[in-house]
Amino acid sequence: SVIPGEINQALNINLSNPNNRSISYLKAAAYSAGYIMQRAFCSSEDIDPTEISILDLRKNITDESKSIYQLVFADRLPNGSGFVRKLYEEFNSHGFLDSLLSKSTNNLFIQNLISEKHRESCKTSCSNCLSVYNNMPYHGLLDWRLGLSYLRCHLDVQTFLILKVYM
């Protein structure tokens, strides 16, 4: 697994008082977004999505006693193949999220995900988008629309600030 030198603030969620301490809505949004990123990155790099695993939704407490939730990605191979490091670099330095969520995206996974055919046939997740054998424990949480919305919130500072105020 890749452990960057600093916490990536772009995918962290600040919650001072989660919904009566339940984080199921947070898990659904974060895991859905994580699997979208995994599948989209693997599509763009032409690698098997099983090469990157989502290990956990980790909770960290800040100095101000706020909870920060962080998705942890890992390479499948024990010594790492470098795919997670490349995903990290693409996300932080090369506008990976911007390019995925732009109207003119050339990512085949995202194009398929937002196609009219898929929108009409898939309500939350299916075997053509997020629900695959390797993430079976998360099938009840996965929702591609929620995941895309969550990722879009990180692009739009105004939306993110509104969410932060109401949470």
Side-chain angles (χ1 to χ4, degrees):
S1 90
V2 172
I3 301 173
E6 61 186 53
I7 294 175
N8 179 0
Q9 297 299 322
L11 283 181
N12 293 335
I13 304 172
N14 253 336
L15 293 176
S16 53
N17 187 14
N19 185 19
N20 295 327
R21 306 271 183 236
S22 171
I23 64 165
S24 57
Y25 62 95
L26 172 64
K27 283 184 177 181
Y31 278 111
S32 296
Y35 280 110
I36 288 171
M37 285 181 56
Q38 173 216 38
R39 300 290 302 265
F41 177 75
C42 290
S43 172
S44 68
E45 296 296 314
D46 197 24
I47 58 174
D48 185 11
T50 61
E51 291 290 334
I52 297 176
S53 300
I54 298 177
L55 299 181
D56 194 17
L57 184 63
R58 182 182 296 167
K59 179 180 179 180
N60 296 310
I61 306 294
T62 66
D63 294 336
E64 298 86 29
S65 298
K66 290 186 179 182
S67 300
I68 302 288
Y69 292 88
Q70 183 179 39
L71 271 178
V72 181
F73 292 84
D75 289 316
R76 181 177 66 176
L77 297 175
N79 290 326
S81 52
F83 294 132
V84 172
R85 180 169 302 283
K86 182 157 185 182
L87 172 60
Y88 177 78
E89 290 168 359
E90 289 288 321
F91 184 83
N92 285 310
S93 304
H94 304 291
F96 178 69
L97 203 52
D98 290 322
S99 67
L100 278 187
L101 300 176
S102 73
K103 290 183 180 183
S104 60
T105 185
N106 60 358
N107 186 285
L108 295 177
F109 174 75
I110 298 295
Q111 286 176 351
N112 180 54
L113 194 65
I114 62 174
S115 70
E116 186 174 343
K117 180 180 177 185
H118 184 257
R119 285 193 319 259
E120 290 175 359
S121 66
C122 179
K123 300 301 176 206
T124 56
S125 69
C126 65
S127 59
N128 293 324
C129 62
L130 301 180
S131 293
V132 293
Y133 178 77
N134 291 353
N135 65 11
M136 208 176 293
Y138 303 104
H139 284 188
L141 292 174
L142 299 177
D143 183 327
W144 66 270
R145 288 176 178 90
L146 178 63
L148 283 176
S149 296
Y150 175 72
L151 290 173
R152 282 190 185 107
C153 287
H154 291 287
L155 286 180
D156 183 3
V157 176
Q158 186 66 32
T159 303
F160 185 70
L161 291 175
I162 290 169
L163 286 176
K164 193 172 180 182
V165 168
Y166 288 104
M167 290 184 175

PDB file of all heavy atoms in Angstrom, residues 9 62 140 161:
ATOM      1  N   GLN A   9      -5.988  16.023   1.500  1.00  0.00           N
ATOM      2  CA  GLN A   9      -7.156  16.738   2.004  1.00  0.00           C
ATOM      3  C   GLN A   9      -8.344  16.691   1.047  1.00  0.00           C
ATOM      4  O   GLN A   9      -9.463  16.914   1.453  1.00  0.00           O
ATOM      5  CB  GLN A   9      -6.802  18.197   2.305  1.00  0.00           C
ATOM      6  CG  GLN A   9      -5.759  18.333   3.394  1.00  0.00           C
ATOM      7  CD  GLN A   9      -6.208  17.762   4.726  1.00  0.00           C
ATOM      8  OE1 GLN A   9      -7.354  17.884   5.111  1.00  0.00           O
ATOM      9  NE2 GLN A   9      -5.299  17.093   5.418  1.00  0.00           N
ATOM     10  N   THR A  62      -8.441  14.967  14.242  1.00  0.00           N
ATOM     11  CA  THR A  62      -7.543  16.108  14.071  1.00  0.00           C
ATOM     12  C   THR A  62      -7.235  16.740  15.429  1.00  0.00           C
ATOM     13  O   THR A  62      -7.837  16.382  16.451  1.00  0.00           O
ATOM     14  CB  THR A  62      -8.173  17.181  13.163  1.00  0.00           C
ATOM     15  OG1 THR A  62      -9.308  17.724  13.814  1.00  0.00           O
ATOM     16  CG2 THR A  62      -8.554  16.609  11.811  1.00  0.00           C
ATOM     17  N   GLY A 140     -24.449  -3.503  -1.035  1.00  0.00           N
ATOM     18  CA  GLY A 140     -25.576  -2.783  -0.444  1.00  0.00           C
ATOM     19  C   GLY A 140     -25.322  -1.293  -0.287  1.00  0.00           C
ATOM     20  O   GLY A 140     -26.260  -0.512  -0.188  1.00  0.00           O
ATOM     21  N   LEU A 161     -18.394  23.676   0.644  1.00  0.00           N
ATOM     22  CA  LEU A 161     -18.569  24.531   1.812  1.00  0.00           C
ATOM     23  C   LEU A 161     -20.000  24.471   2.331  1.00  0.00           C
ATOM     24  O   LEU A 161     -20.232  24.452   3.528  1.00  0.00           O
ATOM     25  CB  LEU A 161     -18.184  25.976   1.483  1.00  0.00           C
ATOM     26  CG  LEU A 161     -16.695  26.221   1.244  1.00  0.00           C
ATOM     27  CD1 LEU A 161     -16.469  27.658   0.817  1.00  0.00           C
ATOM     28  CD2 LEU A 161     -15.874  25.877   2.472  1.00  0.00           C
TER      29      LEU A 161
END
